[in-house]
Amino acid sequence: MVARYIIEIEDCGRRFPCPEDEGVLQAMERQGWQAIPVGCRNGGCGRCLIRVICGAFRTGLMSRRHVSEGQGAQGLALACRLYPQSDLTVRLATPHDRAATENENARGA
Amino acid sequence: MAISGVLRPGYVQLRVLDMEAALVHYRDRIGLDVVQTDDEGLVYLKAYDEFDHHSIVLREAPEAGIDFMAFKVASEEALDEFARRLRGAGCTVEEIAPDDKRHLGRRIAFTAPTGHRFELFATIGRADLGPMVDNPELWHTEPRAMRVQRFDHCLLYGDDIDGAIDLFSKLLGFSLTERVVAPDGTVIAAFLSCGMKAHDIALVRHDEKGKLHHVSFLLESWNDVGHAADIMSRYNMSIDIGPTRHGITRGQTIYFFDPSGNRNEVFAGGYTFYPDHPVRTWSTDEVGKAIFYYERALNDRFMTVVT
């Protein structure tokens, strides 16, 4: 039996269930909601960048251009590669979140 | 008309996050054949109707996107002439020695004003299972999956597309076939051909350098575009838009993403270009129809998502 958790998007209050083995973005889209911007759905483009405010999760492979290892540890993730392990509260990435990744990439380059 | 100078797109090297997932996509869904895996783990693939050794190279990396695109030129002399012209225009040209392991002759490489790396080569090994030449059957064995015939073109996003258009047209002999122009005269998209196709490379103005919009593969027919769409839904592949048609080039198309988020296109059709044809121009107020002829509206994801 696959566990299902509730995802809450803080920006708009939207709540929807997500199985533990499905990406948060994919579960959102499948249920017809548009709360998180949808890009490639495969961890490459960075469009669905969000921050997990609370809850347990795991992530799949994400392009390092959009989420560095350090930021991943701080709860930044691409929703298409975010798999819940408890109920989650998330919010959309801010320009500040995106700028932090760019700065980190620039330092690493 | 004899095509001389640059003949066609030769190969493209893509970065993928997970090689196993990439192979399921490019081999089992798109239908390319793996021809080689090298010591560094790079995987070389080709479509069934290509004579040359490979057209797609996959490299596992922490970040998706394009490493470089290569064009095949008519002769070693043409390669020397292009190196001379590029250097004459102030481009830094790197000479790369022949590489037997990669089945490649010598290459020259340069970085375009959009930040993309390009290679030119005249010599590449022949594929073991290329198209037949004696009493040729259609194929050795029936094509699999989406049945793509060949790698066709790339659309690249970068900042100085004016500089890149100049480089491709004035130094490498490409023709501008079609463009999208803003009211202030700024070219925001350009389609360039080195032969008789509607495009061999396309460029879109964008604030970052070196980005990939899509890698495109040719299909035989509009029916095959539908067949590709059936495969995408059957295997829950990430579709961007389509099946639809472009006003620009008139191609019948569907866009989708590989498992690392690199966009792919499979398409059929498109007009035949001759070098005496005038440039076709779209204004930005008709750009919806230019990009998607049936929807007549832009899709924000299609315009802004790149790797």
Side-chain angles (χ1 to χ4, degrees):
Chain A
M1 180 75 183
V2 175
R4 295 160 71 84
Y5 300 106
I6 298 298
I7 312 300
E8 176 171 347
I9 303 184
E10 201 179 57
D11 310 69
C12 59
R14 172 72 61 211
R15 291 162 60 88
F16 57 89
C18 178
E20 62 183 343
D21 59 355
E22 185 172 23
V24 165
L25 188 79
Q26 284 81 354
M28 177 199 81
E29 242 195 327
R30 183 171 49 73
Q31 293 167 79
W33 306 122
Q34 298 183 344
I36 303 168
V38 177
C40 72
R41 305 182 189 87
N42 283 337
C45 77
R47 191 165 163 128
C48 64
L49 188 69
I50 57 171
R51 185 176 287 284
V52 179
I53 306 299
C54 68
F57 61 90
R58 66 182 180 87
T59 53
L61 284 172
M62 301 178 283
S63 197
R64 282 276 169 254
R65 170 167 289 269
H66 303 294
V67 185
S68 68
E69 277 180 65
Q71 287 170 318
Q74 293 164 33
L76 214 58
L78 299 180
C80 65
R81 291 287 165 89
L82 175 69
Y83 307 94
Q85 294 183 319
S86 74
D87 291 349
L88 296 181
T89 304
V90 307
R91 67 163 170 73
L92 303 186
T94 62
H96 179 263
D97 291 327
R98 290 180 187 274
T101 307
E102 280 169 23
N103 291 339
E104 202 158 317
N105 280 331
R107 277 200 303 277
Chain B
M1 185 188 80
I3 296 171
S4 58
V6 178
L7 299 180
R8 60 173 175 272
Y11 52 86
V12 59
Q13 182 165 312
L14 299 176
R15 296 188 297 270
V16 298
L17 302 176
D18 176 338
M19 185 61 78
E20 279 310 306
L23 286 176
V24 168
H25 178 86
Y26 287 99
R27 179 191 58 208
D28 303 340
R29 305 290 178 251
I30 291 183
L32 302 177
D33 293 318
V34 172
V35 293
Q36 176 174 314
T37 301
D38 74 12
D39 305 341
E40 297 161 44
L42 274 65
V43 179
Y44 297 71
L45 305 101
K46 73 176 276 292
Y48 78 87
D49 211 25
E50 292 174 314
F51 285 104
D52 289 344
H53 181 258
H54 60 267
S55 57
I56 300 293
V57 185
L58 302 177
R59 178 170 76 87
E60 195 170 82
E63 187 178 307
I66 182 171
D67 280 338
F68 51 80
M69 178 183 183
F71 290 93
K72 189 174 193 184
V73 306
S75 64
E76 296 296 332
E77 293 71 32
L79 197 57
D80 289 332
E81 172 62 16
F82 287 127
R84 193 187 62 73
R85 284 191 208 170
L86 286 160
R87 288 198 176 104
C91 264
T92 302
V93 175
E94 182 189 342
E95 301 267 355
I96 306 170
D99 186 338
D100 289 345
K101 282 187 179 169
R102 294 179 190 200
H103 300 260
L104 285 168
R106 72 190 178 98
R107 287 158 281 163
I108 62 170
F110 62 91
T111 301
T114 48
H116 299 93
R117 179 182 166 94
F118 291 97
E119 293 184 0
L120 302 178
F121 66 97
T123 303
I124 184 169
R126 278 284 167 93
D128 292 338
L129 281 181
M132 294 184 193
V133 291
D134 295 321
N135 301 318
E137 303 283 359
L138 295 180
W139 15 257
H140 293 273
T141 52
E142 58 275 29
R144 305 184 317 282
M146 293 186 200
R147 313 190 282 242
V148 300
Q149 297 184 307
R150 59 172 162 75
F151 163 48
D152 189 86
H153 65 269
C154 289
L155 169 53
L156 304 176
Y157 271 40
D159 53 354
D160 183 8
I161 66 167
D162 304 313
I165 294 165
D166 266 2
L167 186 155
F168 277 98
S169 55
K170 293 180 180 160
L171 303 179
L172 301 183
F174 283 59
S175 300
L176 183 65
T177 60
E178 206 148 349
R179 64 188 167 184
V180 180
V181 181
D184 67 359
T186 306
V187 174
I188 58 173
F191 299 78
L192 294 138
S193 177
C194 61
M196 296 182 65
K197 289 153 57 188
H199 59 335
D200 290 292
I201 185 169
L203 301 163
V204 168
R205 193 179 298 278
H206 180 70
D207 57 5
E208 296 167 283
K209 281 186 179 292
K211 306 304 280 186
L212 171 69
H213 185 275
H214 71 262
V215 171
S216 182
F217 300 94
L218 183 71
L219 297 174
E220 189 164 29
S221 69
W222 186 216
N223 271 356
D224 277 352
V225 178
H227 177 64
D230 292 341
I231 290 171
M232 289 176 211
S233 278
R234 167 63 183 84
Y235 294 104
N236 290 315
M237 295 166 67
S238 176
I239 294 181
D240 188 1
I241 188 165
T244 182
R245 187 180 182 111
H246 292 302
I248 296 170
T249 77
R250 300 188 193 157
Q252 298 154 328
T253 178
I254 181 166
Y255 286 91
F256 54 109
F257 295 98
D258 81 3
S260 306
N262 297 307
R263 191 187 279 96
N264 295 157
E265 176 190 32
V266 289
F267 82 106
Y271 55 75
T272 303
F273 172 77
Y274 285 89
D276 65 319
H277 286 181
V279 178
R280 300 166 202 230
T281 301
W282 295 84
S283 54
T284 41
D285 59 341
E286 289 291 336
V287 75
K289 215 168 188 176
I291 307 292
F292 299 121
Y293 196 67
Y294 300 151
E295 291 80 1
R296 284 168 271 156
L298 288 183
N299 149 337
D300 181 50
R301 174 169 62 226
F302 184 82
M303 300 312 291
T304 58
V305 166
V306 290
T307 54

